[in-house]
Amino acid sequence: MRKNLQIISFKKLKSYDKTNLDSDEFYLLYCIWDKKNEKYHWSNYLNLLPQNLQNEVLKYKNYQDQYNCLLGKLLVLNGYYMFYGKMLDFSLYKRDKLNKPFISNNFFNFNISHSANVVVCIFSKQDIGIDIEEINEVNFKDFENVFSASEMEKINKYGKEKFYKFWTAKESVSKAIGEGLYMSYTSIKIKDGFASHKNTEWFVNNFKIKK
């Protein structure tokens, strides 16, 4: 699998060459934003969306939630341009019965997540999910109904990094399946480099962005 890190300027998006997405690849786009620097671009960014998606952004009362929601959609726009070489018609941006977003008449899947001031969007031809979490102190006992006894044993032994590794894996798999918080996380079992649900195994990759 090729690994490449590249800074993509949203203002210069149309200057980039069309990108091929192979069946065994995934592309991850992420944005780290600063309120004091980005607030001047807010109206320009928001006006790139149709009214129904603007309303989806503005329904959040907290500015950070609004901006994360907006940038998630703009990362989808960036990815669409990368793979198709043209701008996304947002009338193709839909949600399924469980509220998972997708683009109709499209060859790739995508998934969005955000935490604090970081927004991520992952693209693949396969079913795929992603979760990002800011690492903070956490009371492990509050999550005993989420993890198996063996998973809790490892979390208690290795601490919060193991907790977040397991949590984000379960969250990502549930989103890849398409059920999100509607499913029981105890049904997802974590292994080394994999997670399993029923008779299906999922490849899991964990990494950090800026610590």
Side-chain angles (χ1 to χ4, degrees):
M1 181 179 292
R2 293 180 290 121
K3 293 184 178 181
N4 183 38
L5 178 64
Q6 182 180 10
I7 296 176
I8 299 176
S9 170
F10 186 76
K11 293 180 180 179
K12 299 179 180 179
L13 182 61
K14 294 183 179 180
S15 67
Y16 292 92
D17 294 332
K18 183 178 176 182
T19 302
N20 290 323
L21 178 62
D22 294 333
S23 59
D24 64 343
E25 288 184 319
F26 67 84
Y27 274 77
L28 173 66
L29 301 185
Y30 71 90
C31 177
I32 301 173
W33 60 273
D34 186 329
K35 180 177 179 178
K36 65 181 180 181
N37 293 329
E38 297 294 347
K39 63 181 180 180
Y40 303 107
H41 304 295
W42 169 257
S43 59
N44 291 332
Y45 287 167
L46 186 64
N47 288 331
L48 290 170
L49 303 180
Q51 190 60 53
N52 66 311
L53 294 184
Q54 288 188 34
N55 293 339
E56 190 174 311
V57 170
L58 296 174
K59 73 179 182 182
Y60 294 100
K61 295 181 180 180
N62 181 280
Y63 177 84
Q64 179 171 288
D65 293 334
Q66 290 181 348
Y67 218 86
N68 285 340
C69 182
L70 171 61
L71 288 177
K73 292 172 176 53
L74 295 186
L75 289 181
V76 176
L77 174 64
N78 279 26
Y80 189 91
Y81 194 91
M82 285 172 57
F83 303 131
Y84 280 100
K86 61 182 181 180
M87 298 300 285
L88 169 63
D89 176 0
F90 271 106
S91 67
L92 301 176
Y93 190 98
K94 309 287 186 180
R95 290 185 178 272
D96 65 18
K97 61 182 181 180
L98 293 179
N99 207 37
K100 182 180 180 180
F102 68 95
I103 299 174
S104 57
N105 304 320
N106 175 53
F107 72 83
F108 63 78
N109 298 306
F110 69 90
N111 199 236
I112 304 168
S113 184
H114 51 77
S115 182
N117 66 328
V118 183
V119 186
V120 293
C121 185
I122 197 164
F123 302 86
S124 174
K125 288 185 175 180
Q126 312 296 327
D127 291 332
I128 197 163
I130 191 168
D131 183 52
I132 183 171
E133 299 289 344
E134 183 179 34
I135 296 180
N136 295 304
E137 296 301 321
V138 59
N139 186 351
F140 303 147
K141 290 184 177 181
D142 293 339
F143 295 86
E144 288 180 339
N145 64 333
V146 173
F147 299 105
S148 67
S150 61
E151 289 166 353
M152 281 301 304
E153 183 179 354
K154 292 177 181 177
I155 289 171
N156 287 319
K157 180 177 180 180
Y158 295 106
K160 63 183 179 182
E161 290 223 5
K162 183 65 71 174
F163 166 83
Y164 279 107
K165 185 174 183 178
F166 285 176
W167 172 262
T168 53
K170 286 177 181 269
E171 178 81 359
S172 298
V173 170
S174 70
K175 293 171 71 177
I177 293 170
E179 297 184 22
L181 294 173
Y182 294 97
M183 69 183 298
S184 170
Y185 280 19
T186 56
S187 64
I188 302 172
K189 309 300 182 184
I190 306 298
K191 304 176 182 179
D192 292 334
F194 291 90
S196 63
H197 178 259
K198 296 182 178 179
N199 296 321
T200 303
E201 281 197 331
W202 297 83
F203 170 71
V204 175
N205 192 6
N206 295 92
F207 49 92
K208 293 183 180 180
I209 297 176
K210 294 197 72 173
K211 302 183 181 179

